[in-house]
């Protein structure tokens, strides 16, 4: 109740506080806690209202969106666990940082292997520094061995999980994921997030080349990975140059230098060599072109 305070110089080691002073201090602390809770409540309400303005739930089922709030980390894990069991085709994830606890990895491996056994394609991009964490590196190696596709990048822009074309799970606060997450059901939102994922997937390095074992992959900078990906997708030089913010003449020079480093003569030969090294997934590119 705050009636005693530590006082090392006193024989008893404590100092007596008058009840009135203790009560005043407790009331003040209670007020501070209430104000802090109100600030947190206002913050979350603002986020919810912002999403509801963009994706009103009263819209028709084909065009509207529904949003579920998952207020805690445990609620997020339970939701992912349930939705992962319903995955049919593909699950994509981005992990910019934050290492899951060791005790959670067994559940993650069990869930991922179950999805892979059902024919679900698992794709994930991790920030490069996470691979150096021993238990997480072992998890990534294990799921890769069973067919999951893992890539790494120097920086990953946001944390997200997208399951099929149905739902996207995004943190309420990207800086503090323990605050919880939003689960958004909207084909339009999912399509936009898939496009973001596809861009970063194209310039990320396969997990097998993260330790330097893939010499071809090490030859390419992130911008060069984007160039070869866009070329393989059939993009015109003008579109690629515009994306990079350079002239088509500068782009042609970069492509020529890249072909020289790869020791090939044509762009097609470069695509084949990069595909054989695991840097470029031509099968995935064909799938995306057919889907588009």
């Amino acid at each position: 109740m705050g009636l005693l305070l530590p006082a090392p110089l006193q024989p008893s080691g404590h100092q007596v506080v008058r009840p009135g002073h203790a009560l005043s201090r407790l009331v003040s602390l209670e007020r501070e806690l209430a104000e802090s809770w109100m600030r947190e409540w206002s913050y979350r309400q603002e986020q919810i209202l912002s999403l509801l303005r963009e994706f009103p739930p009263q819209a028709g089922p084909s065009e509207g969106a529904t949003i579920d709030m998952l207020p805690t980390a445990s609620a997020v894990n339970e939701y992912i666990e349930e939705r992962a069991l319903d995955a049919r085709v593909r699950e994509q994830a981005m992990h910019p940082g934050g290492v899951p606890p060791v005790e959670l990895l067994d559940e993650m491996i069990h869930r991922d292997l179950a999805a892979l056994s059902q024919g679900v394609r698992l794709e994930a991009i991790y920030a490069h520094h996470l691979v150096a964490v021993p238990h997480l590196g072992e998890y990534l190696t294990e799921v890769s061995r069973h067919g999951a596709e893992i890539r790494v990048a120097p920086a990953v822009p946001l944390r997200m999980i997208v399951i099929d074309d149905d739902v996207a799970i995004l943190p309420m606060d990207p800086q503090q994921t323990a605050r919880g997450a939003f689960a958004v059901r909207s084909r339009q939102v999912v399509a936009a997030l898939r496009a973001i994922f596809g861009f970063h997937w194209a310039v990320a390095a396969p997990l097998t080349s993260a330790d330097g074992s893939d010499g071809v992959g090490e030859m390419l900078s992130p911008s060069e990975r984007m160039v070869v990906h866009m070329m393989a997708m059939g993009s015109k030089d003008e579109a690629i140059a515009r994306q990079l913010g350079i002239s088509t003449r500068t782009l042609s020079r970069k492509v020529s230098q890249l072909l020289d480093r790869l020791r090939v003569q044509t762009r097609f030969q470069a695509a084949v060599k990069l595909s054989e090294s695991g840097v470029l997934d031509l099968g995935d590119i064909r799938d995306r072109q057919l889907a588009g």
Side-chain angles (χ1 to χ4, degrees):
M1 292 185 291
L3 294 174
L4 294 177
L5 293 178
L9 299 180
Q10 297 291 335
S12 64
H14 293 85
Q15 177 181 349
V16 177
V17 178
R18 291 182 178 180
H21 291 170
L23 179 61
S24 176
R25 185 179 294 108
L26 288 174
V27 170
S28 177
L29 177 60
E30 192 70 19
R31 184 183 299 113
E32 291 177 4
L33 291 174
E35 291 174 353
S36 175
W37 183 89
M38 287 298 297
R39 287 193 298 270
E40 177 69 16
W41 179 84
S42 298
Y43 170 78
R44 293 193 178 188
Q45 283 293 106
E46 182 181 350
Q47 288 189 311
I48 293 171
L49 292 175
S50 177
L51 281 170
L52 289 176
R53 282 193 295 269
E54 295 295 330
F55 312 108
Q58 65 269 22
S62 60
E63 298 296 333
T66 60
I67 303 169
D68 295 324
M69 188 173 71
L70 311 172
T72 64
S74 61
V76 174
N77 291 334
E78 290 176 8
Y79 188 91
I80 294 173
E81 190 78 22
E82 293 174 0
R83 294 300 174 270
L85 295 175
D86 298 330
R88 303 180 304 278
V89 179
R90 177 178 295 183
E91 179 181 327
Q92 295 173 320
M94 298 176 73
H95 301 276
V99 180
V102 177
E103 56 270 18
L104 187 60
L105 290 185
D106 286 341
E107 297 180 15
M108 293 170 59
I109 290 177
H110 178 76
R111 183 185 70 212
D112 291 346
L113 296 187
L116 290 167
S117 68
Q118 296 297 321
V120 177
R121 183 171 182 175
L122 299 184
E123 299 174 324
I125 305 173
Y126 281 78
H128 195 283
H129 68 277
L130 295 177
V131 182
V133 179
H135 67 272
L136 185 57
E138 292 174 4
Y139 156 75
L140 296 176
T141 301
E142 180 67 13
V143 294
S144 297
R145 191 169 63 84
H146 285 83
E149 300 174 61
I150 309 295
R151 294 193 178 186
V152 294
V156 179
L158 76 160
R159 181 184 303 278
M160 73 173 188
I161 296 177
V162 179
I163 299 175
D164 289 331
D165 295 323
D166 303 327
V167 62
I169 303 166
L170 303 166
M172 292 182 184
D173 184 349
Q175 304 302 321
Q176 299 185 43
T177 55
R179 288 179 179 269
F182 290 115
V184 182
R185 289 183 173 274
S186 167
R187 288 186 173 269
Q188 291 84 354
V189 173
V190 168
L193 292 173
R194 284 205 184 283
I196 294 173
F197 181 91
F199 176 85
H200 289 279
W201 179 262
V203 300
L207 179 65
T208 53
S209 66
D211 59 359
S213 60
D214 183 358
V216 175
E218 285 187 328
M219 293 180 181
L220 303 184
S221 67
S223 63
E224 288 172 332
R225 288 178 182 274
M226 186 177 74
V227 168
V228 297
H229 178 78
M230 293 183 72
M231 288 193 304
M233 288 286 289
S235 300
K236 304 276 188 191
D237 281 5
E238 292 80 3
I240 300 174
R242 185 166 56 251
Q243 184 71 34
L244 292 174
I246 60 178
S247 66
T248 53
R249 179 177 298 178
T250 301
L251 174 65
S252 296
R253 185 171 66 252
K254 285 181 174 292
V255 172
S256 296
Q257 292 171 349
L258 177 60
L259 296 180
D260 290 341
R261 290 211 312 277
L262 294 175
R263 298 181 181 178
V264 296
Q265 296 181 343
T266 67
R267 297 183 180 192
F268 175 77
Q269 291 173 335
V272 171
K273 187 168 185 176
L274 292 171
S275 175
E276 291 175 346
S277 69
V279 176
L280 194 64
D281 188 344
L282 295 181
D284 180 63
I285 289 174
R286 284 195 297 270
D287 292 343
R288 295 180 190 275
Q289 288 175 327
L290 292 174

